[in-house]
Amino acid sequence: MGLLDYFRSSQPKGSANMAKERLQILVAHDRAERHRPSYLPNLQREILEVIRKYVDVDMNAVSVNYEQEETHEVLELNIVLPDTVRNRA
Amino acid sequence: MARIIVITSGKGGVGKTTTAAALAMGLAQRGSRTAVIDFDVGLRNLDLIMGCERRVVYDFVNVINHEANLNQALIRDKRCDNLYVLPASQTRDKDALTKEGVGRVLDELSQGFDFIVCDSPAGIEHGATMAMYYADDAVVVTNPEVSSVRDSDRMLGILASKSRRAESNEEPIREFLLLTRYDAVRVDNGEMLSVKDVQDILSLNLLGVIPESKAVLNASNAGVPVILDRESDAGLAYGDAVGRYLGEDLPHRFVNAEKKGFFSRLFGG
C-alpha cells in the first residue's frame, strides 16, 4: 500500500486544475452578468417592439450585448431580419 | 463607535459560525469589548458553538420588537468578560429582522462595544442580507471547493451593491478571505484548490487559512470556540487571523504539508 502510494503520487493528478479552470470561466461569466446595466432587458424589449412595427421579426431576433472594456463600454445590438425582407431589398 | 464585521459565505456548512465564535472570542481576549450576533433566525446555532445555549432567555428579535432590552438579551461569556452573545430567535419568522430594527440594535450596541461580529445565515435571502447591510468589514469564509468559491464571488457582488455603504456611496466594505477546511496534503497532490488558486479567482485580502482539523468538531461538541484550543492547528490559525485583522503582519502557517521522508512514504508511515 505504502509502496503503491509512493509511485502513484509521482503521477500528475488534475482535479484541482479542472476545478480552477471551470471556476475561472464561471466566475468571469457571473461577473459580466452582474455588471450589466439593469435597463438592458427593457431596452431589448422596446427595440424589438419598434422593429416589429415594420418588420415581422422573431421574438428572439434581437440580441443586446453589453461589454465593458478598459476605457469604454460597448453596447452591441444584433438584429436578425427574416429572409423574405432581405430578398425584397 | 463599534466596527461591524459580517461573517458571510453564501454557501452553508463552510464554517461561518465556527469563525464568528472564534474571531469574536479572539478579539475579546485581546481586550476589545465584543458582541457576537446570530442572524440565523429560526436556525440558531451560535449559542451552541459558544456553549451558552442554556442561558438564552431573550433574543435578537425580542430586542427588535421592544419585548426586552439589550442588557436582558445579551449573554456574557463565562470565559471572557469582554465578550457578549446575542442569540437568534428559534421560532419566529425571519422577516422579523427589519432594516430599521437591526439598525437600531446595532446603533445601541455601538455605544458600548468596540467590535460587533454578525454571524450570517447561509444563502442570499433576507437574514443574510440583513447581516451584511450595516457591515464595515466582511470576512468571506470559503472552502477550497468549486461551489463555495463561486458562492463567495456571488456574495462579493452583493456586498458591493446592496450594503448601506454601497447605497450611500461611502467607502466600500473591507473584504477579507478566510479559507477554511484546507488540506495541505491534498493540495500538494493536486486534488484540492490551493490558496493561490482561490486567490487568483477572488483576489481578496487573505485573513487566514484554517486547516481541516479534528479540533473544530471537538470544540463544537464541547461548546468552546476552537480559538481557545491553543494546542490545535485550527485554534492557532484562528489566533493568527485575529492578529492579522488587527493589523499584525504574520506569516501563514499550516499552508504547506509537512514533508514526509522517503521511507515513511515508502512504508505508508
Side-chain angles (χ1 to χ4, degrees):
Chain A
M1 176 73 181
L3 194 62
L4 260 178
D5 275 348
Y6 183 72
F7 289 113
R8 209 181 288 146
S9 69
S10 62
Q11 292 171 359
K13 293 174 187 166
S15 74
N17 282 336
M18 278 168 62
K20 186 178 182 183
E21 282 166 21
R22 291 173 63 215
L23 268 170
Q24 279 172 324
I25 294 166
L26 195 61
V27 166
H29 188 262
D30 285 352
R31 285 180 189 166
E33 202 74 352
R34 204 185 295 157
H35 291 129
R36 284 166 158 225
S38 54
Y39 59 73
L40 274 192
N42 276 340
L43 179 74
Q44 180 162 0
R45 187 179 47 76
E46 286 186 33
I47 288 172
L48 193 59
E49 277 170 17
V50 173
I51 292 170
R52 281 166 71 94
K53 273 190 198 168
Y54 303 96
V55 191
D56 184 26
V57 294
D58 194 66
M59 284 305 282
N60 301 318
V62 178
S63 68
V64 179
N65 234 325
Y66 177 85
E67 268 172 52
Q68 199 148 23
E69 302 196 354
E70 266 171 42
T71 53
H72 57 283
E73 287 120 48
V74 179
L75 187 65
E76 183 188 286
L77 292 181
N78 199 353
I79 305 162
V80 184
L81 296 175
D83 276 346
T84 49
V85 179
R86 216 183 294 154
N87 290 343
R88 222 180 295 152
Chain B
M1 276 299 282
R3 192 110 190 136
I4 301 174
I5 311 164
V6 63
I7 313 298
T8 186
S9 71
K11 190 175 183 299
V14 296
K16 279 184 298 299
T17 302
T18 299
T19 297
L23 292 189
M25 177 62 83
L27 290 167
Q29 279 191 318
R30 284 162 172 261
S32 301
R33 281 178 58 84
T34 306
V36 56
I37 308 179
D38 191 349
F39 275 76
D40 204 346
V41 171
L43 292 169
R44 94 170 162 225
N45 279 319
L46 178 67
D47 52 335
L48 265 176
I49 302 301
M50 295 294 299
C52 64
E53 70 278 7
R54 297 178 59 153
R55 296 163 63 208
V56 175
V57 181
Y58 294 108
D59 58 56
F60 192 15
V61 173
N62 289 136
V63 180
I64 288 176
N65 292 343
H66 300 279
E67 294 154 357
N69 63 40
L70 258 179
N71 290 334
Q72 291 173 296
L74 284 172
I75 304 169
R76 183 183 217 153
D77 190 87
K78 288 197 164 158
R79 296 149 298 210
C80 183
D81 285 348
N82 289 323
L83 180 59
Y84 289 79
V85 180
L86 183 55
S89 157
Q90 185 67 304
T91 52
R92 300 180 193 236
D93 183 27
K94 63 184 187 328
D95 293 330
L97 297 181
T98 60
K99 198 181 270 185
E100 296 70 31
V102 172
R104 182 175 54 79
V105 174
L106 290 178
D107 262 354
E108 202 180 326
L109 279 172
S110 268
Q111 312 300 321
F113 286 92
D114 302 313
F115 292 107
I116 302 171
V117 178
C118 301
D119 182 22
S120 171
I124 51 172
E125 299 299 317
H126 186 70
T129 52
M130 280 299 102
M132 48 137 266
Y133 186 76
Y134 293 99
D136 301 306
D137 299 324
V139 175
V140 180
V141 182
T142 307
N143 290 169
E145 180 269 328
V146 284
S147 53
S148 175
V149 175
R150 183 197 201 177
D151 288 359
S152 293
D153 188 66
R154 185 88 202 279
M155 284 315 299
L156 292 173
I158 296 173
L159 285 166
S161 63
K162 295 195 174 134
S163 62
R164 182 189 62 81
R165 281 174 175 266
E167 285 178 4
S168 54
N169 276 322
E170 284 178 50
E171 203 182 308
I173 295 175
R174 290 196 301 172
E175 299 158 340
F176 299 91
L177 173 67
L178 188 81
L179 204 54
T180 55
R181 309 201 66 163
Y182 195 76
D183 186 333
V185 174
R186 300 198 72 184
V187 170
D188 269 9
N189 287 340
E191 300 172 359
M192 183 182 266
L193 292 166
S194 67
V195 182
K196 184 180 173 298
D197 291 337
V198 177
Q199 280 292 64
D200 282 351
I201 292 161
L202 298 178
S203 44
L204 293 174
N205 193 345
L206 184 64
L207 193 62
V209 179
I210 312 298
E212 173 79 57
S213 169
K214 289 180 179 172
V216 173
L217 181 59
N218 285 335
S220 76
N221 285 343
V224 177
V226 69
I227 197 169
L228 293 176
D229 183 355
R230 305 296 294 172
E231 311 270 282
S232 73
D233 45 1
L236 294 172
Y238 272 117
D240 288 355
V242 171
R244 279 185 211 105
Y245 176 77
L246 295 172
E248 293 168 21
D249 185 18
L250 302 168
H252 289 278
R253 299 189 260 182
F254 318 112
V255 176
N256 298 312
E258 283 173 37
K259 287 278 174 279
K260 278 188 174 181
F262 175 80
F263 284 103
S264 67
R265 289 182 70 172
L266 193 58
F267 298 109

